[in-house]
Amino acid sequence: MKTLIKGGTIVLEHRVMTGDLFIEDEKITRVIDYADQPAEDTACTDKEFADRVIDAAGKIVLPGGIDAHTHFNLHVAVVTSDDFTTGTTAAAFGGNTMIIDHMGFGPKGCNLHHQANVYHGYADGKCLVDYGFHGVVQQVDDEVIEEMGAMVEDGHPSFKIYLTYDYKAEDKDALRVLERLGTLGGMTTVHCENDAIIDYLKKKFVSEGKLTPHYHALSRPEICENEAVMRMIALAHTAQNAPLYIVHVSSAQSASMIKQARQNGDRVYGETCPQYLFLDESCYDLPDGEGLKYIMSPPLRSRKNQELLWDYIKDGTLKVIATDHCTFNFHGDKQRGKTDFTQCPNGGPGVETRIPLVFSAGVSEGRITLNEFANVISTNPAKLFGVYPEKGVIRCGSDADILIMDPDREVTITKDILHENVDYTPYEGFKVKGWPIMTMVRGHVVVENGELKQDPGFGRFIKRHQADYDC
Ligand code: URP
Ligand code: ZN
Ligand code: ZN
């Protein structure tokens, strides 16, 4: 199959050009810049070359989105409403060509491969876009540290450790993981919140009968995140300057510490998510218990953080915008928190709205360039999580993972137009300018003009390799 994407604004790794993109089977084979070869000169070869010509005039052609932080089919006290089929369907409609899901915790004492096998069982044969998994560290002992080598060989070069929740890592454990993954060319990703602060404040609020969603945010204040981020930076620095990726940064103060560490030569990479750029803590006080929709950790912050986080995206401190997509129905499991916020499952939707929201506020409103947009939604996660340059870039020889955006299409986001399997979107009523109109994975169209063109099982498990830390 030969496809030609004609006349689009193509976002290459370091520049933007107008021209043609040639795809043969699953790979990009040629890129023609009209500045070098005018469009008229290519017209006759087009027909000979292509089985299909896609007119991309006036459209933006980007490397497909990579959402490096999802939780599909997550089993906590309850199970998330999106599984790997519904989740990756929504991902494809939202312009993503790959997701990297975080494995959840398994039975107490299980080894790393146990959860890898469980997750292959959840995802294989079910996905609409390509996928991988971050390993999860439940306990740290000699066996687990040793086993990381085989996990990396199996295509899982990144792991998440948690500084809170049931299986929280102690500092000495984090040091061992950081050092080992640094040696293996992998990546330690960390959920940074101080467990003792959360425990203390939650108990205090519960004893005082302060049980509304408002107190969820107050039980996990910014300082609780900031302390944990600073601690992890110190630990990674100590562990031979091991690479460190901090997930879901919500606080501008945390981002400033990451910036400082990077200026000191530490290999620290920040990730933020749309919820921290577009929503704020006032959501917890919405009437009719709607605050439950926004119970997630870290919680939404004060509005003043938002523009500062954009500044840290612009200056390259926050390398990735992912989603932490983790869905529970408002009229279902979220109601567990109706009379006590501590009982509400944590998390919210986002995999389908990330790209249009970030494009609209980022590119359409002039906060970031098209290249910076491509970096945070695709190229940087591809580099840091070991799929670059096969993915995350428009380049000859790379997978033809392509997102076409209509930069002029204005859409009002409502739950009804989305494909996420959950009964609300936190972005209800948000108006965006710029919408994904085609998602192509390895040269195959997955979504076109609002229609799904592939079946579950089309998406492939991607064996990831060592990270490219240079971003
Ligand atoms: O509230 C959240 N973020 N739930 C998902 C699990 C996590 O901590 O990433
Ligand atoms: Zn987390
Ligand atoms: Zn998460």
Side-chain angles (χ1 to χ4, degrees):
M1 175 79 179
K2 293 180 178 175
T3 307
L4 165 57
I5 301 178
K6 188 142 193 69
T9 300
I10 304 176
V11 184
L12 301 177
E13 194 166 359
H14 300 294
R15 69 192 177 97
V16 176
M17 48 155 260
T18 302
D20 296 346
L21 189 65
F22 291 78
I23 295 165
E24 289 185 51
D25 300 322
E26 303 209 323
K27 301 285 181 194
I28 296 167
T29 52
R30 196 146 59 107
V31 185
I32 291 183
D33 186 342
Y34 288 171
D36 304 329
Q37 190 174 356
E40 311 79 81
D41 294 359
T42 62
C44 58
T45 48
D46 292 352
K47 286 197 198 74
E48 285 159 28
F49 172 83
D51 301 305
R52 180 169 183 202
V53 179
I54 296 167
D55 178 10
K59 308 292 186 287
I60 317 273
V61 182
L62 290 140
I66 299 175
D67 188 344
H69 189 159
T70 63
H71 298 274
F72 298 147
N73 204 26
L74 179 70
H75 292 237
V76 279
V78 286
V79 183
T80 51
S81 57
D82 267 312
D83 61 17
F84 278 86
T85 297
T86 62
T88 57
T89 299
F93 276 97
N96 298 284
T97 52
M98 181 172 183
I99 60 97
I100 311 176
D101 199 83
H102 280 280
M103 295 179 197
F105 295 127
K108 196 171 167 39
C110 70
N111 68 10
L112 300 175
H113 279 88
H114 178 278
Q115 280 312 83
N117 292 335
V118 166
Y119 268 70
H120 274 296
Y122 289 162
D124 294 351
K126 309 259 178 29
C127 292
L128 276 298
V129 300
D130 288 347
Y131 61 97
F133 312 118
H134 302 285
V136 64
V137 179
Q138 286 187 206
Q139 75 277 345
V140 178
D141 52 32
D142 291 348
E143 211 178 298
V144 162
I145 291 291
E146 175 63 27
E147 196 191 354
M148 281 180 170
M151 284 285 283
V152 172
E153 289 284 302
D154 292 347
H156 312 295
S158 52
F159 292 79
K160 186 173 182 184
I161 59 177
Y162 291 81
L163 302 186
T164 186
Y165 298 144
D166 291 348
Y167 291 105
K168 65 175 191 297
E170 301 298 337
D171 292 356
K172 62 179 173 15
D173 301 329
L175 277 165
R176 290 190 76 186
V177 171
L178 283 158
E179 188 181 50
R180 174 71 165 147
L181 288 176
T183 311
L184 290 169
M187 184 65 80
T188 305
T189 81
V190 192
H191 177 122
C192 289
E193 287 186 294
N194 179 303
D195 186 64
I197 292 178
I198 298 166
D199 187 59
Y200 170 83
L201 288 174
K202 272 207 312 203
K203 284 187 177 137
K204 178 175 169 332
F205 291 136
V206 169
S207 74
E208 292 168 357
K210 294 173 173 164
L211 299 171
T212 62
H214 181 82
Y215 293 96
H216 169 71
L218 295 187
S219 69
R220 310 174 96 104
E222 280 182 43
I223 199 164
C224 160
E225 178 180 341
N226 299 341
E227 181 280 331
V229 167
M230 193 60 240
R231 183 157 35 108
M232 281 308 304
I233 289 171
L235 296 175
H237 181 90
T238 305
Q240 327 301 326
N241 192 10
L244 167 67
Y245 179 95
I246 299 178
V247 298
H248 47 47
V249 173
S250 68
S251 135
Q253 179 72 40
S254 286
S256 85
M257 293 186 301
I258 295 170
K259 180 171 178 165
Q260 181 72 56
R262 289 179 60 78
Q263 283 169 348
N264 293 342
D266 292 340
R267 293 187 291 171
V268 190
Y269 309 91
E271 168 200 280
T272 192
C273 309
Q275 53 269 35
Y276 305 118
L277 298 170
F278 295 94
L279 307 170
D280 67 69
E281 61 194 0
S282 64
C283 294
Y284 294 115
D285 298 326
L286 287 171
D288 305 321
E290 285 210 38
L292 294 170
K293 293 177 177 173
Y294 307 91
I295 289 196
M296 59 186 70
S297 299
L300 302 178
R301 303 298 188 191
S302 65
R303 203 171 244 291
K304 69 176 175 2
N305 283 280
Q306 295 175 355
E307 230 25 79
L308 292 169
L309 290 177
W310 277 109
D311 292 343
Y312 289 115
I313 292 166
K314 178 80 185 165
D315 76 10
T317 301
L318 298 172
K319 292 286 172 199
V320 174
I321 303 179
T323 64
D324 200 6
H325 181 96
C326 184
T327 53
F328 303 98
N329 283 310
F330 175 62
H331 294 287
D333 288 324
K334 283 279 185 189
Q335 294 303 319
R336 289 168 167 249
K338 196 173 173 183
T339 54
D340 177 356
F341 75 88
T342 66
Q343 301 307 306
C344 182
N346 278 221
V351 77
E352 196 169 353
T353 45
R354 172 183 75 131
I355 285 174
L357 283 168
V358 175
F359 185 91
S360 186
V363 179
S364 303
E365 291 180 24
R367 288 183 177 86
I368 54 175
T369 65
L370 272 174
N371 281 112
E372 288 160 348
F373 173 70
N375 283 342
V376 290
I377 62 141
S378 180
T379 314
N380 290 342
K383 286 183 168 181
L384 296 173
F385 295 118
V387 294
Y388 172 92
E390 305 88 286
K391 296 186 178 292
V393 63
I394 294 184
R395 179 194 283 188
C396 291
S398 293
D399 285 358
D401 288 356
I402 305 292
L403 154 64
I404 304 183
M405 298 276 305
D406 180 345
D408 300 317
R409 191 178 292 188
E410 296 189 26
V411 174
T412 301
I413 295 175
T414 65
K415 182 226 151 312
D416 295 343
I417 63 164
L418 299 177
H419 303 79
E420 299 165 343
N421 185 36
V422 60
D423 63 359
Y424 74 100
T425 169
Y427 308 104
E428 187 73 31
F430 275 57
K431 291 185 185 355
V432 292
K433 186 168 181 212
W435 196 255
I437 53 169
M438 184 182 280
T439 306
M440 185 184 272
V441 178
R442 288 175 277 104
H444 306 274
V445 174
V446 181
V447 170
E448 181 173 11
N449 290 325
E451 269 184 55
L452 190 63
K453 303 284 186 184
Q454 301 291 338
D455 295 318
F458 164 78
R460 256 185 222 157
F461 171 70
I462 302 297
K463 233 177 135 179
R464 295 180 292 124
H465 48 71
Q466 292 193 330
D468 178 341
Y469 301 118
D470 184 20
C471 75

